[in-house]
Amino acid sequence: MRQERAFDPRLRFAVLGPVRAWRGDQPLAVGSPQQRALLAALLLRGGRTASASELLDALWGEEPPHAALAGMRTYASRLRKALGPDSECLVSESGGYAMRIPDDALDLKLAERYAAEAEKARSSGDLSGARDLINHALALWEGEPLTGVAGPYAELQRTRLAEWQLQLLETRLDLDLELGRHSEAISELTALTAAHPLRERLRGLLMIALYRNGRQGEALAVYGDVRRLLADELGVDPSGELYEIQQRILHAEASLAGTGSPKPDTQTHTTVPLAEPSVTVRPAQLPAAIADYTGSELLVEKLAQHLSTARGNVMAVSAVAGIAGVGKTTLAVRVAHGIRSEFPDGQLYFDLRGAGTQPADPHYVLGEFLQALGVQSGAIPDSLDSRAALYRSALDGRRVLVLLDNARDAHQVRPLLPGTPGSATLITSRTRMVDLSVAHLVDLDIMSPEHARQLFAKIVGEDRVADEQDAVLAVIAACGFLPLAIRIAASRLAVRRTWTVSTLASKLANERRRLDELQAGDLAVKATFELGYSQLRPAQARAFRLLSLADGSDFSLAAAAAVLELSMQDAEDILESLVDASLLDSAAPGRYRYHDLVRLYARACAGRDEEQPGDPHAPLSRLLDFYLATAAGVYAIERPGDTTVAHLEVADGAGLTFTEYRSAFDWLHAEAECLLACVQQATAAGLLRRAADLLVAATDLAESGVSSRRFESAATAVRDAAARAGDQLVEVRVRTLLCKVHTIAGQFAAAEEEARQAMLLCEAVNDPWAAGNAPNERAIVASSEGRYVEAEAYLRQAINSFRADNNQPGIAGVLCNLSRLRLLTGRVDGAVQLATEAIEIYDRLGLASRGANARYALGLALTQAGSLGEALGFFHKALDVFRSGRQRFWEGVTLFRIAEVHLAADRTGDAAFAAEQSLSVTQNIAGDWWRANILTVLGRALDGIGELDRARACWREALSIYEERGSHEAETVRTLLGERPSTSIRAV
């Protein structure tokens, strides 16, 4: 008997696009369209045999040619030859054929599997996982299914697969809305509704997305558009479901706004009464459960389930770790009471006092446990090992739950663990017991905002919090969502009937007094932290104090090493030990953070215990030097040939070094929040020159849009401090940077004032950097406001300064701005030439990121020249670079320009899609002026695809913005609201 050959796992087939086959990366020749049609018909039957007549119908329909049967057999023979060593997967059977391949060898089966797994993930509440799985399924489509395959069967299947793809898209978009990705979904939904105007589910999703994005008028306009379309095309009204969405939007129902994650299950465990005691001693030592327990019932259930596995052949041990006051004991007692019935032979409990200066001795604890288990005191041995052995013997064959509360470390716990299956141990500790190999480790996090509010209300009373929800949120946020702090704050309020929640919130708002306020009776947050701090070694305690002084939300290992003046390895050892002690959190690999209250305590310790001979700002100065040195290196990598770094103050200390642009840029954006916080701290400490130079080196953060507001705040602080100190060099630099920030936000009056002041300062300060950048930035403002003669004069001044400084990227940047100015004054040919010269400079220097700006400028010039195809190509090249470089502002503006090109080419659907993307990307980044520009173009595109109601909603919003600003563009929009739109494009 011939042995069946194993299927080659590298063999793959595709029908969700062109019908194809591969072995590994090598495509197989699957022949003519009819031959591919046969392969598709077999693949789509999922291994079932198709008779000859079924295959003839599939390939030729009801009227096959005379030699159809012979032809079909020829196709089958050729397919076997193409499959080579895997030809046996094409089976001849009962006069027909079948393809027998594993499910994962066909893209359709993979898509079906992903879709099924997504449904399961969604049902279990894993919305993000479900979305990823749907995206995996959709990624398998490569254009139209069964591309190029003829025949009635292929046409039927093509329709079916296209419909399923659309259903998957709808499901994915529905998940987007559930996950709060409303803004991102709008552009895709706009394009899909344009392509499928009668599909009501898409319209409903678009209405919800627009409503949740604050665009209620547009959401209602979508309903108006589809109602009119359905009446015109089909003579029917919208479905009841779509009507209901419209009504809910009209009434602004809170449930439509999206509430985030589903509420956790609040079902509690029922305690089953213990059986009648026998002569065997059954200890019942658990502390009383707290009546107002509030927290994750899901975590309670998971711990209960794990500990209950002690019934099998494995000893169950769970160790719960977390910072002081996070509710470890409360959780453990709650779990223990819930599973008492699983341990009918008793429950042991001991507070091991691990956080104190005198932790419980395991020798003593074993003696207490043995007596509780019925061992006479005279029979208890003296040595620790003998006691531990007797303890394990006493538990053998019994089901006892042991709760070891407040353990110090694994060394203290090990003698107290049962030795055989049946019993279980639950441990709480501030230390993560990574060296307790038998333990199931659980890190207990702070409370969710909703659970924190519930706990506060339970203690204070719902009647006192009902009308002060904002104050309640302020209180629990000041408590850092830490259960102990919330309990103390609520208890203080509960016994002070004359206080309001706002009174308490105002007291806790003072960070210097907050820890003092958080004490009631024998409960105090500060005291719990003090216990952990007192156990630290000197090097740990120093790190705990010094690292808390930085204002960033977290910090990197490299930054910590710089502050502590340690090697990366030594710093990591100390930081990880603080994480294990629950005094720090590891936010991500190589990043750390304090809980808010722990940071306040650490700062108090720094003020009390830290000895700082000489400069009290030395730790901050070291952090500033680290950021300046590293950011200057990032700037130099991104802009070879730029002389800016040569004009910055040299940092007193080394930073990180990078060999390629991507990792350097990733570092800058990962550190943005902490870096800008450092600038503001340095400003307050009087370290103005290095603070200003750090902003110059990190100027990409101003252009990215994401960090622009924080950048503006930091630069404003430095400017004001420099003006007070009379430091003109610092002032001229930050004013120049602020001009750039205001221009990006469309705040041209503020930008002009900063540029004017900067140029006045340039006359008094010899600063080559400002001499080129200040007039360049002022020129951009002048051209935006129509002052073209002034703008050209400023650009000539800028380019002369950059040439004097031999700053080639600076020269290229001015050429780009001159190109735009040529467009605005009708000199299109000169604009193309100048943008091309800028591209040549950037490309010669290897400046991909800056080269994208030049390609953007050339795209504008080519658009005005009427070369729309070329313009689109340059815009897309620029867009790719802006996206990879996370330059969100420039990404959004380039999408806007792409929308204009599509509109000029009468591709209104593509224009609407690009404009929606632009609106989403620039939201909260580019300012109202840019938003109005985008809305104007979006309205034109929507009008072009027949959605006039929604178009007019866009124009009305744009007009409101222009009128509020006094912008001349308002007249154009007024015309649009009364007439048909034009497609003129303005270069800005």
Side-chain angles (χ1 to χ4, degrees), residues 712-727:
E712 177 187 352
S713 177
T716 301
V718 179
R719 179 202 64 192
D720 294 345
R724 290 192 298 270
D727 192 328

Side-chain angles (χ1 to χ4, degrees), residues 539-555:
Q540 292 174 309
R542 176 176 179 267
F544 177 70
R545 296 189 301 267
L546 292 186
L547 295 176
S548 71
L549 299 175
D551 278 347
S553 60
D554 65 354
F555 53 89

Side-chain angles (χ1 to χ4, degrees), residues 183-184 704-706 879 883 887-893 895 914-926 934:
S183 180
E184 298 171 31
S704 72
V706 175
L879 182 64
R883 277 179 172 161
Q887 296 292 303
R888 297 282 285 174
F889 170 78
W890 284 108
E891 178 189 347
V893 171
L895 285 165
E916 275 291 3
Q917 284 187 304
S918 175
L919 205 60
S920 174
V921 170
T922 57
Q923 189 172 22
N924 301 322
I925 291 176
I934 300 165

Side-chain angles (χ1 to χ4, degrees), residues 87-99:
S87 60
E88 292 178 3
C89 67
L90 176 52
V91 178
S92 298
E93 199 170 67
S94 304
Y97 297 96
M99 282 290 293

